[in-house]
Amino acid sequence: CSCNHNTSFAILLSASRVPMTQSTVQSLISKSLGGASCVLLFVAIVILCSLKDQRGMRSTRIHLGFGITLLIALIGHLSNDLIAKHDNSSVIKIGSTGCLIYTALQHYTWVAVFCWMLVEGVGMYLSLVQVFGSHLSKFMIKAGVFSYST
């Protein structure tokens, strides 16, 4: 349940031992860029919600579903250091039921993000390749059920 880094897979999967300073710098960069992503994603969601004439379009609704899910997943990922620590001095103790629930929620949100990415791809396919006849009945309801029921 606990993780002492938010680093890239390049460091996690490196064949040689990575110096602690490099891992610390990578973690700091990941946290700061993740925080900036959260702020800018929130701004994008606010802008998409404020465009009243665009709100009914399929692509805007897909962007909103994807953006909100991604924002929730990023906040959960960045809050890992506050929720779970290696020394068991945090809210969630390692090996507890809370740890299991937190891990399951993190897994669920990231799977939902990837499903919304698939919905984005299908939406682009329908808009760009199948220009005519691309209307699917209740597409957003089906997309939401697919993305959140994974």
Side-chain angles (χ1 to χ4, degrees), residues 37-58:
S37 294
C38 284
V39 169
L40 293 175
L41 194 54
F42 180 75
V43 169
I45 291 169
V46 168
I47 289 172
L48 284 172
C49 286
S50 66
L51 300 173
K52 291 182 182 179
D53 57 338
Q54 299 288 321
R55 218 180 301 166
M57 294 179 61
R58 178 176 57 197

Side-chain angles (χ1 to χ4, degrees), residues 6 38 84 114 120 122 149:
N6 284 331
C38 284
F114 292 130
E120 285 266 4
V122 169
S149 68

Side-chain angles (χ1 to χ4, degrees), residues 43 92 106 118 130 148:
V43 169
I92 296 177
Q106 277 289 22
L118 179 63
Q130 276 192 334
Y148 293 123

